[in-house]
Amino acid sequence: MKHWKLLALTALLAGCQQDDKASGNDAAKAEQPSAQETPDAKSASINLPDGIQLIETVERKGNETVIPYQKYQLDNGLTVVLHQDDSDPLAHVDVTYHVGSAREELGKSGFAHFFEHMMFQGSEHVADEEHFKIVSEAGGTLNGTTNSDRTNYFQTVPVNQLEKILWLEADRMGFLLKAVTQEKFEVQRETVKNERGQRVDNRPYGRLGETVAEALYPHGHPYSWPVIGYMDDLNRVNVNDLKKFFLRWYGPNNATLTIGGAVDAEETLALVNKYFGSIPRGPEVTMPEKAPVTLDADRYVSFEDNVHLPLIYMTFPTTYARSADEAPLDLLAEILGGGRTSLFYKNLVKNQFAVQATVSHPCQELACQFTMYALPNPASGKSLADLEKIMRDTFAEFEKRGVTEDDLLKAKAKHESNTIFGLQSVAGKVSQLAAYETFTGNPDYISQDIERYNSVTKEDVMRVYNQYIKGKNAVVLSVVPNGKENMVAKKDTYTPAPRDFVATSSPKSDDLDLRIAKDDFDRSVTPKAGANPLVSVPDFWRATTDNKLTVLGAKNLETPTTSLLIKIPGGHYHTSKDKAGLAALTAGLMNESTEKRSTEEMSLALQKLGANINIRATDTTVNIFVSSLTKNLSETMALVNEKILMPAFDESDFNRLKAQTIQGIENSKKQPESLAMQGWLKLLYGNTIAGIDNSGTVSTVNSITLDDVKGFYQSFVKPESAQLIVVSDMEKPALLKEFEVLNQWQGKSNASTKSFDKVAFDPKTVYMVNKDKAAQSVIRIGKRSIPRDFTGEYFKSGLMNFNLGGAFNSRINLNLREDKGYTYGARAYFWGDKEMGGYVASASVRADVTDKSFIEFVNEITEYQKSGMTEDEVAFMRKAVGQRDALKYETPNKKLGFMANILSYDLSENFVEKQANIIKTVSLDELNALAKKHLEIDSMAKLVVGDMETLKPQFEALGYKVEALKLPE
């Protein structure tokens, strides 16, 4: 059973940062593009189809960080970037359109994001709901994302399926509009509303991003409205508004097609020309003007929300992405608030004035923001006004302190390691190439990107501080609990412009300037796949260290990195329920100071290496995850050993972490999904340790002492019976030599196998967890079931469930999301470990259709259990699941997970072949028998999280008893 970490405010607020700098998707056009290589003889020998021009070829010439590629352009303006990588038999296809919410107009917000949805709903030659089905059936994965500056669509598939994906992408680029109907428009409008409800309206602090944007940017600025749009805008427009937006921005001349993997360049270009070459170019598109802003005064704004802790958020306008000032501002953010070595950590978190505080510099193509936030620790008595003063005093401290050499070293190492780790997959390399091309016109920007950080000086950091922060005005936002307006940092001094924008009138169908492609082949014929690629299970080796650690290793030459996982028996289940949270707290303290170094000193040492050590507890283990550049592995392993053998278990660290945990638990009570998880554990496991989330409850965490932590550590954190899984470009003998540093770690964990009796519940009762005035409700239907296996009944049951709830185009999701528009997504799945397992169907749904959604869940499960799968569904499952092997082992993290299962479940080396044979041969009758056995609705518990006052009479009218479920406190 997956347990959610409760202190998730960083993740919550991440959605308010409109771009992720590490992804490269926030790139902007460079001031000085890097030098480009000329086509070499190898590339020149390719027979290019008419209509395609080779622009450049870039190859690696040594050990420099570079992504080799060839860049081409079609006559219609489409840019094509090819990256050949034969390490795995797969292909990744990315189509990036240089259009995001910044290309929209007042009164018509959310169009770019809306098209992210519409472009999965079929096109002229692809039937409704077929896009997901075709890619899934090909054994692939797919998705799309939208931000303020671009929209991208991407698929990863076995390489033999490449032509099919190019056909799909070309069809929605050139042949979408005839398939965009009013009916589809209405359904996806409801889906977007559900997405907003789930990600914004029903999430604590969810309206932060759009509130800040409205205050920071002037009326009509491209960033002054949210990417997801205002629902009033989407309610007002019609389908022709969307079609006009598509015709303006989604032409081939505003797109980059990037393809990576084990592809043949000549064959791929012929396919690209066939499917994309005839699509007419759209209106001309120019690079947008940069639009940074300044403020004439501090702007104080606030809103009330259903939150536990108030929050203060301050943001200064700065520059734009890829400007000369972006890198030093990023380094300034690291110094002020980037982790445990920062000034914000010292002045706000370490002394327990705040439970969380950070600084960042999110950048977009047209403008950037220097942002910081903090949440007060209630025990400190500090108000938001107090925290604001500490923030501003910290600026003054920085001025006196200045920039140190360590500041520069750690920030630069972090950027370089993040860049290199981002290249571990073909998808990572393709997305980076696509972003660089879209925003700079130069895919070969990676070395220049690293260099612009490495060249930052102390003087550069102080210069940008003086230019953008010192004495400058900011937006200061207070988010306070409902009814607590008196808690704001300062009374509002600014009122954003009203949202009642007057938009231009909607066009008529006859006014649309449609562009029709002319072909000499039949696009309605789905391309056939080539022969299935040969997929090799990663070669791995075994060893046992002198201190009896079981080691399983594999080689990976994609990047000069090492990733390893140490799994130590003993976790949440091995504590008493009155001390729930002890395992997590112990692991958390092992992430803090050691006997040799303070928390800050340890963090600095890791940052300077560009390494990461993360220790966390699961239900049954304590896991230590390590990532390092291989060149720094010796130093990193010495720090791993120090953390394992010499945790300080410092009292001040303990008190701070304990307070943060308690506030995280309190915050979770405002999050519907967390409430659902806590209620679900209670229903399935009752009054046992397994019935409590692994973070614990307020009362159990309060009861934990430092001696309890030391006792857990002494009992369980031992090497015998532990496992070390490693993926590296280093050879086995050299790696084992590196692991010798751990030989002083001795002993055997006291962990034993844990299981829990099943708990009785009434399947005719709907158990409810109340969340007043919830914009969405959470539904869970399921039960305890069989433990996990890899070739037995559990594995086959997963195959059985695939068409019910295991794929995007499963019966449940198509019904609730695509047909009804009740949810952003619905699913069902089996879960389990070696001892226990279960089944659950779940979704977050619109509050006003909670009862209707529940009925649909029950009907779908009941019908599937009664009548089973169809022959067509079995055929789809065989193809979709059977062709996924090419994607299973690509990245080091995927290899770690694969090998961890081999050790944990003592799997035979040919278990993958056995799985493949089961997928091919399992009969419809056997699958349907499993449905009858496991999906009896009257054996399942029913849980709903939502506004109980509204929902209780609705469910009683359906014939259910309704019982309020009391959660552990």
Side-chain angles (χ1 to χ4, degrees):
M1 169 69 73
K2 182 178 181 180
H3 288 188
W4 296 96
K5 298 299 286 181
L6 298 180
L7 189 56
L9 296 176
T10 298
L12 292 174
L13 294 170
C16 305
Q17 312 288 2
Q18 295 196 43
D19 284 315
D20 179 359
K21 301 181 74 64
S23 73
N25 288 334
D26 61 343
K29 186 176 181 180
E31 294 298 308
Q32 298 293 329
S34 60
Q36 299 172 348
E37 304 290 337
T38 57
D40 65 3
K42 177 182 175 182
S43 300
S45 66
I46 293 176
N47 293 317
L48 292 178
D50 292 338
I52 296 184
Q53 177 186 359
L54 173 63
I55 305 299
E56 63 178 350
T57 294
V58 170
E59 295 186 337
R60 180 178 286 109
K61 296 183 177 179
N63 294 324
E64 75 273 25
T65 302
V66 66
I67 310 172
Y69 68 89
Q70 302 89 42
K71 176 179 172 181
Y72 304 87
Q73 192 167 67
L74 274 63
D75 286 348
N76 59 9
L78 177 67
T79 298
V80 180
V81 180
L82 294 185
H83 165 68
Q84 291 170 270
D85 180 346
D86 296 327
S87 58
D88 294 283
L90 55 81
H92 184 83
V93 177
D94 178 292
V95 178
T96 297
Y97 295 91
H98 196 171
V99 55
S101 59
R103 302 278 198 179
E104 296 160 357
E105 60 181 274
L106 287 175
K108 294 186 177 180
S109 65
F111 278 25
H113 174 258
F114 203 108
F115 259 108
E116 180 200 319
H117 287 253
M118 292 304 300
M119 289 178 75
F120 286 106
Q121 300 310 306
S123 48
E124 187 173 338
H125 306 103
V126 181
D128 297 357
E129 318 303 348
E130 283 293 302
H131 196 111
F132 276 96
K133 182 178 180 181
I134 290 170
V135 177
S136 297
E137 193 173 53
T141 61
L142 71 162
N143 211 336
T145 67
T146 308
N147 64 25
S148 56
D149 303 315
R150 63 97 186 99
T151 305
N152 68 341
Y153 303 89
F154 47 92
Q155 294 95 171
T156 306
V157 294
V159 69
N160 64 311
Q161 302 285 348
L162 175 61
E163 181 175 3
K164 197 174 295 181
I165 301 307
L166 296 176
W167 168 73
L168 284 170
E169 285 290 2
D171 212 62
R172 61 182 174 186
M173 178 186 287
F175 302 88
L176 181 77
L177 293 189
K178 285 186 180 181
V180 177
T181 64
Q182 188 68 33
E183 180 182 5
K184 290 183 183 179
F185 172 78
E186 297 295 345
V187 170
Q188 291 309 310
R189 177 153 54 188
E190 292 305 309
T191 301
V192 172
K193 290 180 182 178
N194 280 302
E195 182 177 0
R196 181 183 170 89
Q198 187 172 324
R199 295 186 172 183
V200 180
D201 301 326
N202 214 35
R203 174 182 284 189
Y205 314 100
R207 291 180 285 132
L208 185 151
E210 65 185 41
T211 304
V212 169
E214 289 174 341
L216 180 64
Y217 296 109
H219 182 70
H221 188 283
Y223 293 160
S224 63
W225 53 81
V227 172
I228 200 169
Y230 297 123
M231 292 305 99
D232 286 346
D233 287 353
L234 290 178
N235 284 335
R236 182 170 50 243
V237 302
N238 67 29
V239 69
N240 288 330
D241 289 292
L242 278 185
K243 290 183 177 182
K244 182 179 178 181
F245 187 80
F246 178 87
L247 288 166
R248 174 65 187 91
W249 298 110
Y250 291 80
N253 51 308
N254 196 36
T256 298
L257 169 63
T258 311
I259 304 167
V263 298
D264 177 272
E266 190 167 327
E267 292 176 2
T268 300
L269 289 172
L271 294 173
V272 168
N273 194 51
K274 174 181 178 179
Y275 292 111
F276 290 89
S278 64
I279 299 174
R281 66 189 299 125
E284 292 307 308
V285 178
T286 58
M287 298 295 284
E289 293 293 326
K290 308 304 180 189
V293 299
T294 57
L295 302 176
D296 56 4
D298 284 332
R299 295 177 175 179
Y300 286 84
V301 294
S302 65
F303 67 86
E304 297 179 19
D305 200 1
N306 186 20
V307 296
H308 168 62
L309 290 177
L311 175 147
I312 185 167
Y313 188 98
M314 187 185 305
T315 184
F316 295 83
T318 59
T319 182
Y320 53 87
R322 303 281 190 249
S323 77
D325 291 342
E326 183 194 15
L329 281 163
D330 285 353
L331 268 61
L332 174 63
E334 278 290 316
I335 296 167
L336 288 174
R340 293 167 173 161
T341 59
S342 70
L343 295 174
F344 266 51
Y345 179 85
K346 175 179 74 73
N347 293 342
L348 286 161
V349 179
K350 188 174 178 64
N351 55 22
Q352 298 188 56
F353 291 160
V355 297
Q356 201 166 346
T358 192
V359 181
S360 60
H361 184 235
C363 260
Q364 297 157 266
E365 182 177 14
L366 310 182
C368 306
Q369 307 171 28
F370 197 88
T371 68
M372 56 211 72
Y373 70 86
L375 297 102
N377 183 346
S380 72
K382 296 295 182 183
S383 66
L384 294 187
D386 295 332
L387 295 191
E388 181 188 357
K389 183 178 186 304
I390 295 171
M391 287 177 170
R392 294 187 184 276
D393 289 346
T394 301
F395 294 156
E397 179 184 349
F398 168 72
E399 290 183 44
K400 294 179 181 178
R401 170 190 177 278
V403 183
T404 69
E405 285 297 329
D406 279 347
D407 289 334
L408 295 182
L409 285 173
K410 70 178 186 180
K412 293 175 180 180
K414 179 179 179 180
H415 180 76
E416 181 177 5
S417 64
N418 283 347
T419 300
I420 292 173
F421 275 99
L423 305 180
Q424 290 184 322
S425 68
V426 173
K429 287 177 277 194
V430 165
S431 63
Q432 196 68 274
L433 289 168
Y436 287 147
E437 170 58 31
T438 299
F439 295 112
T440 74
N442 175 25
D444 186 31
Y445 191 75
I446 191 167
S447 58
Q448 184 176 336
D449 209 2
I450 293 173
E451 176 57 27
R452 69 192 182 103
Y453 284 85
N454 286 342
S455 63
V456 172
T457 65
K458 298 177 185 178
E459 292 75 20
D460 290 329
V461 177
M462 293 306 301
R463 173 180 57 78
V464 296
Y465 169 77
N466 290 323
Q467 181 175 346
Y468 296 102
I469 310 299
K470 183 179 180 180
K472 299 301 187 292
N473 299 309
V475 171
V476 185
L477 169 70
S478 300
V479 184
V480 298
N482 289 328
K484 302 287 187 180
E485 183 181 354
N486 62 313
M487 296 179 73
V488 300
K490 188 174 181 179
K491 188 175 181 180
D492 288 10
T493 62
Y494 181 77
T495 302
R499 295 180 184 175
D500 53 346
F501 304 129
V502 178
T504 57
S505 60
S506 297
K508 298 178 181 178
S509 297
D510 294 343
D511 297 332
L512 299 174
D513 183 19
L514 298 175
R515 302 186 295 272
I516 309 299
K518 296 180 180 179
D519 294 303
D520 57 4
F521 68 98
D522 186 357
R523 285 186 182 265
S524 66
V525 177
T526 305
K528 295 186 181 301
N532 286 341
L534 294 175
V535 181
S536 300
V537 174
D539 291 330
F540 50 85
W541 49 265
R542 298 175 185 264
T544 302
T545 63
D546 290 346
N547 60 342
K548 300 182 180 179
L549 263 174
T550 300
V551 182
L552 194 64
K555 197 168 185 180
N556 183 73
L557 299 176
E558 286 292 287
T559 53
T561 59
T562 297
S563 297
L564 65 92
L565 171 65
I566 303 174
K567 296 183 65 176
I568 307 167
H572 175 61
Y573 289 169
H574 299 91
T575 61
S576 61
K577 61 184 175 60
D578 61 326
K579 298 288 185 180
L582 174 58
L585 198 55
T586 304
L589 276 170
M590 291 180 68
N591 284 314
E592 299 287 336
S593 56
T594 67
E595 294 173 357
K596 292 177 62 176
R597 302 171 212 258
S598 67
T599 299
E600 295 83 359
E601 290 169 340
M602 173 61 74
S603 181
L604 178 62
L606 286 168
Q607 287 174 326
K608 289 165 70 173
L609 294 172
N612 181 58
I613 303 171
N614 182 40
I615 305 173
R616 63 180 296 270
T618 71
D619 289 339
T620 57
T621 60
V622 171
N623 291 346
I624 304 174
F625 178 78
V626 182
S627 59
S628 174
L629 300 175
T630 300
K631 65 181 181 181
N632 297 332
L633 183 59
S634 294
E635 295 94 328
T636 302
M637 287 306 302
L639 297 177
V640 172
N641 186 58
E642 186 177 323
K643 280 181 172 286
I644 292 175
L645 286 182
M646 293 179 280
F649 294 134
D650 177 78
E651 188 168 2
S652 62
D653 288 341
F654 171 73
N655 291 335
R656 171 174 42 80
L657 199 60
K658 183 173 173 177
Q660 289 175 333
T661 301
I662 290 171
Q663 293 310 314
I665 294 168
E666 293 286 6
N667 176 68
S668 74
K669 297 175 183 178
K670 303 295 184 179
Q671 299 177 38
E673 287 291 346
S674 291
L675 292 173
M677 176 57 73
Q678 293 171 57
W680 196 241
L681 293 175
K682 174 75 173 179
L683 264 182
L684 296 191
Y685 294 98
N687 191 30
T688 67
I689 185 65
I692 305 173
D693 186 274
N694 65 6
S695 291
T697 69
V698 172
S699 62
T700 63
V701 174
N702 265 323
S703 75
I704 296 172
T705 66
L706 193 54
D707 284 340
D708 293 328
V709 169
K710 293 176 181 177
F712 183 92
Y713 167 80
Q714 289 294 339
S715 294
F716 298 108
V717 183
K718 305 294 182 182
E720 290 187 42
S721 303
Q723 302 164 352
L724 190 160
I725 306 102
V726 60
V727 178
S728 176
D729 62 327
M730 188 178 282
E731 298 289 347
K732 173 184 176 180
L735 276 172
L736 291 176
K737 186 74 174 175
E738 297 289 355
F739 298 154
E740 289 178 1
V741 70
L742 300 178
N743 283 342
Q744 296 178 45
W745 182 30
Q746 297 287 329
K748 184 174 182 178
S749 170
N750 291 334
S752 59
T753 299
K754 296 291 181 179
S755 61
F756 302 90
D757 293 336
K758 290 189 177 181
V759 177
F761 53 80
D762 180 7
K764 299 297 185 183
T765 295
V766 172
Y767 297 89
M768 284 195 179
V769 178
N770 183 54
K771 187 177 188 297
D772 290 333
K773 299 178 181 179
Q776 287 201 317
S777 303
V778 181
I779 296 172
R780 288 184 179 229
I781 300 173
K783 62 179 180 178
R784 296 269 295 274
S785 187
I786 55 178
R788 186 179 187 186
D789 62 54
F790 286 79
T791 55
E793 185 174 349
Y794 178 94
F795 177 73
K796 293 176 183 177
S797 295
L799 302 180
M800 173 272 291
N801 174 72
F802 186 75
N803 285 286
L804 176 63
F808 180 89
N809 53 317
S810 67
R811 292 189 189 185
I812 288 174
N813 195 57
L814 288 183
N815 183 341
L816 274 78
R817 171 176 163 145
E818 299 302 300
D819 294 342
K820 304 291 192 309
Y822 289 169
T823 181
Y824 182 52
R827 60 179 182 158
Y829 57 94
F830 286 87
W831 51 264
D833 57 27
K834 292 172 67 176
E835 309 303 329
M836 299 179 294
Y839 180 79
V840 64
S842 65
S844 291
V845 302
R846 278 198 346 251
D848 63 330
V849 293
T850 306
D851 55 342
K852 294 182 177 65
S853 301
F854 184 89
I855 292 169
E856 296 301 328
F857 263 119
V858 171
N859 288 345
E860 290 289 358
I861 295 170
T862 300
E863 174 60 25
Y864 203 80
Q865 191 264 347
K866 176 183 176 182
S867 303
M869 305 167 67
T870 67
E871 290 285 2
D872 286 345
E873 286 177 323
V874 174
F876 171 66
M877 178 277 294
R878 293 194 205 281
K879 292 180 181 178
V881 181
Q883 297 188 82
R884 288 180 177 177
D885 284 352
L887 282 63
K888 281 184 179 178
Y889 325 114
E890 182 194 7
T891 66
N893 283 349
K894 287 182 179 180
K895 289 184 173 72
L896 283 179
F898 171 77
M899 293 191 297
N901 285 332
I902 290 175
L903 283 180
S904 296
Y905 291 84
D906 193 24
L907 300 175
S908 64
E909 295 189 8
N910 68 338
F911 85 92
V912 173
E913 296 173 18
K914 292 180 180 179
Q915 286 183 332
N917 187 59
I918 291 169
I919 294 166
K920 291 178 183 178
T921 61
V922 65
S923 70
L924 175 61
D925 288 343
E926 185 176 1
L927 294 173
N928 286 345
L930 289 170
K932 288 189 183 299
K933 178 179 179 180
H934 292 295
L935 299 183
E936 173 57 54
I937 196 70
D938 287 337
S939 68
M940 297 186 186
K942 287 88 177 174
L943 174 71
V944 175
V945 178
D947 190 324
M948 191 168 176
E949 182 180 355
T950 302
L951 297 177
K952 186 174 186 288
Q954 295 177 1
F955 279 83
E956 288 175 336
L958 295 176
Y960 289 94
K961 291 182 289 184
V962 176
E963 181 179 322
L965 188 65
K966 182 174 175 58
L967 300 180
E969 296 181 351

